[in-house]
Amino acid sequence: MIYLTINYPKGSLNRTFSTSKKKQKKPVTFANRGMSFEAEINQTNQYYLDKGIAVIHKKPTPIQIVSVDYPKRSAAVIKEAYFKEASTTDYNGVYKGKYIDFEAKQTKNKTSFPLSNFHEHQIIHMKNCLKQDGITFVLIYFSATERYFLVSSSVIIEFWDNQLTDGRKSIPLSVIEKEGHEIKAGFVPRIPYLNILDQHFIEGDYFNGE
Amino acid sequence: MIYLTINYPKGSLNRTFSTSKKKQKKPVTFANRGMSFEAEINQTNQYYLDKGIAVIHKKPTPIQIVSVDYPKRSAAVIKEAYFKEASTTDYNGVYKGKYIDFEAKQTKNKTSFPLSNFHEHQIIHMKNCLKQDGITFVLIYFSATERYFLVSSSVIIEFWDNQLTDGRKSIPLSVIEKEGHEIKAGFVPRIPYLNILDQHFIEGDYFNGE
């Protein structure tokens, strides 16, 4: 029995896993190895930053602060605060001069992606960014099947706006497979989504759905 | 004596001020009327957002959460948390497809702008954004003289990097007047900084210092 310890970048989880073939049914892959989806994206962004490829950060969680203590000789302590709903998407930054803006969502569903993953103001934010020619998309992780997709916000917006009339509360996987772009997960960077942008959003004209 | 009450947008301060000439030495202006510099920028960004001109937001303050209570039937309460140092600048977004990134700083100094207003990681972030062709600058408010300037990050970076060798810990006002761009404060939007970008950063080639 051999144990490997891999030190993942800051913000991710370390995990020791076994390469023993007795206990494993699948061959060793880098998929589903204990990193959360958010940590995978953070690792990817850190890689892009370290390599000078792009500057993309997750925004801090918005907090409503109610009470703060200022003890002498030590740091201010927030004693009462509440989580606020974000008014934008979680990630943004710059790549080749372009404004990049995205949200990351995970689902256990196998055949569709529920629109309930979004809030109205996130959709509005995506629409606003699209109007300014920002590159706006959603990274979707289907955890049951371990598949990653980059889906243009224009697809999300279309389904969102239509749900009131057609009653459809989710985007079928078949649509995501056709209109989105599957991302082959790697090791470092874990989720190389900029490759998709290079192929379909920056050089081409896919982005505006034209 | 006449009192005017102006309702400023969300996030700013309301202020009642007198137009009595007896108590006032200066004529009535919209300058220095009780709005904080941050509120002025937020009002400006809200205007740009509402008018569909640009999508630029202040990032939430980064917080390190230590303890959270989850009372039954009510919202989670953060019981212990600390302020973290931001790893980026405060404002970013998109304008005409371009990535916009800036920091806002205020000084009481009259003749120079102290470099101590910045942290090392903010400078690094500016450098990273410049490498990606982002439009990166600082809005500086000289509160004593009520003057606003937009200064390209390349100027800030130059002085920052030189301070170790030349020992100069601030940027002289004369440099800011020459290398930066004064913004004429208005009512709504209060600090129309996008005009400067149109004139010098987006159409022209000032941005890269060429």
Side-chain angles (χ1 to χ4, degrees), chain A residues 49 52-55 57 59-63 65 68 70 75-83 87-88 92-100 125 128-129 131-134, chain B residues 49 52-55 57 59-63 65 68 70 75-83 87-88 92-100 125 128-129 131-134:
Chain A
L49 185 66
I53 296 168
V55 182
H57 288 278
K59 292 184 189 173
T61 306
I63 303 284
I65 296 170
V68 182
Y70 297 93
V77 189
I78 298 162
K79 301 298 280 182
E80 186 187 354
Y82 298 88
F83 295 100
S87 54
T88 65
N92 74 356
V94 57
Y95 174 54
K96 295 181 177 174
K98 303 281 186 183
Y99 177 73
I100 306 295
H125 177 70
N128 289 337
C129 290
K131 271 184 213 156
Q132 288 300 322
D133 288 333
Chain B
L49 185 66
I53 295 167
V55 181
H57 289 278
K59 292 184 190 174
T61 306
I63 303 284
I65 297 170
V68 182
Y70 297 94
V77 191
I78 298 162
K79 301 298 282 183
E80 186 185 354
Y82 298 88
F83 295 100
S87 55
T88 66
N92 75 356
V94 57
Y95 174 55
K96 295 181 177 174
K98 303 280 188 186
Y99 176 74
I100 306 294
H125 177 71
N128 289 337
C129 290
K131 272 183 211 157
Q132 288 299 321
D133 288 332

Side-chain angles (χ1 to χ4, degrees), chain A residues 53 87 142 174 188:
Chain A
I53 296 168
S87 54
F142 286 90
S174 59
V188 181

Side-chain angles (χ1 to χ4, degrees), chain A residues 13-207:
Chain A
L13 299 170
N14 291 339
R15 168 148 177 208
T16 304
F17 61 90
S18 161
T19 56
S20 157
K21 292 207 172 173
K22 282 182 188 170
K23 288 194 176 178
Q24 284 190 196
K25 289 177 183 175
K26 287 181 185 178
V28 176
T29 71
F30 292 120
N32 193 21
R33 68 204 192 294
M35 232 185 198
S36 72
F37 187 36
E38 182 181 324
E40 291 178 319
I41 295 170
N42 290 345
Q43 180 248 51
T44 302
N45 288 339
Q46 188 64 47
Y47 171 85
Y48 288 145
L49 185 66
D50 292 344
K51 295 288 180 183
I53 296 168
V55 182
I56 295 162
H57 288 278
K58 184 174 193 293
K59 292 184 189 173
T61 306
I63 303 284
Q64 180 70 51
I65 296 170
V66 176
S67 135
V68 182
D69 255 19
Y70 297 93
K72 278 182 190 169
R73 293 166 204 270
S74 50
V77 189
I78 298 162
K79 301 298 280 182
E80 186 187 354
Y82 298 88
F83 295 100
K84 283 199 296 186
E85 230 174 54
S87 54
T88 65
T89 45
D90 270 357
Y91 299 86
N92 74 356
V94 57
Y95 174 54
K96 295 181 177 174
K98 303 281 186 183
Y99 177 73
I100 306 295
D101 191 293
F102 67 94
E103 186 66 30
K105 297 291 187 186
Q106 178 169 355
T107 182
K108 290 176 182 170
N109 281 29
K110 290 178 185 173
T111 57
S112 70
F113 179 75
L115 290 168
S116 58
N117 277 286
F118 296 103
H119 298 290
E120 176 83 33
H121 51 251
Q122 291 178 318
I123 302 290
I124 292 168
H125 177 70
M126 289 177 193
K127 287 179 180 177
N128 289 337
C129 290
L130 280 176
K131 271 184 213 156
Q132 288 300 322
D133 288 333
I135 295 179
T136 315
F137 54 90
V138 178
L139 294 182
I140 298 177
Y141 176 45
F142 286 90
S143 58
T145 52
E146 294 175 8
R147 296 178 73 185
Y148 300 84
F149 291 90
L150 186 154
V151 181
S152 168
S153 291
S154 56
V155 176
I156 308 290
I157 289 166
E158 190 187 327
F159 274 79
W160 180 273
D161 286 345
N162 285 344
Q163 65 179 324
L164 283 177
T165 48
D166 68 13
R168 187 146 63 174
K169 300 290 183 200
S170 65
I171 307 176
L173 177 62
S174 59
V175 170
I176 290 172
E177 286 174 327
K178 185 164 171 272
E179 303 288 336
H181 307 275
E182 187 155 5
I183 304 171
K184 197 177 173 321
F187 184 50
V188 181
R190 177 68 184 145
I191 307 170
Y193 62 88
L194 291 183
N195 297 350
I196 307 287
L197 299 189
D198 282 335
Q199 289 161 32
H200 300 280
F201 286 67
I202 290 183
E203 302 300 330
D205 58 357
Y206 175 89
F207 167 53

Side-chain angles (χ1 to χ4, degrees), chain B residues 2 5 22 25 39 41 43 45 60 67 83 136 140 145 152 170:
Chain B
I2 301 164
T5 302
K22 283 180 185 171
K25 288 178 180 172
I41 295 170
Q43 180 249 49
N45 288 339
S67 132
F83 295 100
T136 314
I140 297 176
T145 51
S152 169
S170 64

Side-chain angles (χ1 to χ4, degrees), chain B residues 133-178:
Chain B
D133 288 332
I135 295 178
T136 314
F137 54 90
V138 178
L139 295 181
I140 297 176
Y141 175 46
F142 286 90
S143 59
T145 51
E146 294 177 9
R147 295 179 75 185
Y148 300 85
F149 290 90
L150 186 155
V151 182
S152 169
S153 291
S154 56
V155 176
I156 308 290
I157 289 166
E158 190 187 328
F159 275 79
W160 181 271
D161 286 345
N162 286 345
Q163 67 179 324
L164 284 178
T165 48
D166 68 12
R168 186 145 64 172
K169 302 288 183 200
S170 64
I171 307 176
L173 177 63
S174 58
V175 171
I176 289 172
E177 285 174 328
K178 183 163 171 274

